Amino acid sequence: YGTAVKLMHLMEVQASREIQDLIKARLNAMESAGGLGEFSEFAELFTDVGTAIKNKKCGQDEAFKSSIMQFLAENYRNPDLCLESLAESFGVSVSFLSTFFKEQIGQNFYTMLEGIRMSEAERLLSETNMRIKDVIKQVGYSTLNTFGRAFKRVNGVSPSEYRTMIRENKHTDKAF
């Protein structure tokens, strides 16, 4: 009972109103039942509180994940975008953000950023006549070498070879 009361006081400082109300209601019900309650009632209380905290955290994680994805969609063109600057923008530590990416997104920050940049580069190379050096700047790379290595690693061909293959395929598709 003492642990539950301490938990309630801690939760008043740190938890949402919903979780505070859950603890208070359960403790009041146990007290009004004429005693401190049985162990199973406390176990149920702590299970319910744990579930409520987990659900709240999942909701917060989803909101944070959405914010990060929105930020990346708006800022991937910035060649200075890195894990450190992202962490600073969101007011969290680099280690927290790195772990968050692995656990909540399923890949590390740099893999995610490269994927966003490469998708846009592929689109620009296939849908526009933009020069490759302009595509590089448009998708957030500083140098041709860095972009070229990344593009070839992801696509298996250089950017110019990719554009040629796409155009040949479009030309071939129109013939049928």
Side-chain angles (χ1 to χ4, degrees):
Y1 181 80
T3 301
V5 171
K6 285 181 184 177
L7 177 64
M8 185 177 70
H9 291 297
L10 260 176
M11 298 304 275
E12 287 176 4
V13 175
Q14 299 175 351
S16 70
R17 186 53 126 184
E18 173 189 338
I19 296 171
Q20 291 174 27
D21 292 343
L22 171 69
I23 294 170
K24 286 178 184 176
R26 295 299 295 271
L27 287 175
N28 288 337
M30 282 188 256
E31 285 183 51
S32 65
L36 297 178
E38 298 199 16
F39 178 76
S40 62
E41 292 173 329
F42 286 105
E44 195 174 312
L45 168 67
F46 291 120
T47 300
D48 290 347
V49 169
T51 300
I53 291 170
K54 180 182 175 192
N55 291 341
K56 184 176 186 243
K57 183 181 180 327
C58 287
Q60 289 171 336
D61 287 349
E62 282 301 313
F64 188 60
K65 181 178 171 181
S66 293
S67 297
I68 287 174
M69 298 308 285
Q70 180 68 33
F71 185 90
L72 291 177
E74 294 170 359
N75 294 284
Y76 71 91
R77 290 179 174 92
N78 179 353
D80 297 325
L81 182 60
C82 62
L83 188 60
E84 290 78 13
S85 64
L86 184 64
E88 186 177 317
S89 295
F90 281 90
V92 297
S93 72
V94 171
S95 62
F96 169 81
L97 195 56
S98 178
T99 301
F100 185 85
F101 263 90
K102 290 174 190 167
E103 290 177 355
Q104 298 296 320
I105 298 174
Q107 56 187 322
N108 71 42
F109 167 76
Y110 293 102
T111 302
M112 169 65 76
L113 181 59
E114 182 180 72
I116 293 168
R117 288 175 169 172
M118 286 299 126
S119 291
E120 180 64 4
E122 292 164 10
R123 187 189 72 75
L124 292 172
L125 290 169
S126 63
E127 296 177 7
T128 72
N129 290 323
M130 192 181 286
R131 297 182 318 185
I132 292 174
K133 73 178 193 173
D134 294 328
V135 170
I136 291 167
K137 291 176 187 170
Q138 190 73 18
V139 298
Y141 283 90
S142 301
T143 67
L144 175 61
N145 286 340
T146 304
F147 174 75
R149 280 193 309 271
F151 195 90
K152 191 163 189 165
R153 181 178 55 252
V154 170
N155 293 290
V157 293
S158 71
S160 58
E161 291 170 326
Y162 179 85
R163 178 174 267 169
T164 301
M165 286 173 29
I166 292 296
R167 288 185 177 162
E168 286 175 357
N169 283 344
K170 285 183 181 179
H171 203 54
T172 306
D173 289 343
K174 289 180 183 177
F176 292 105

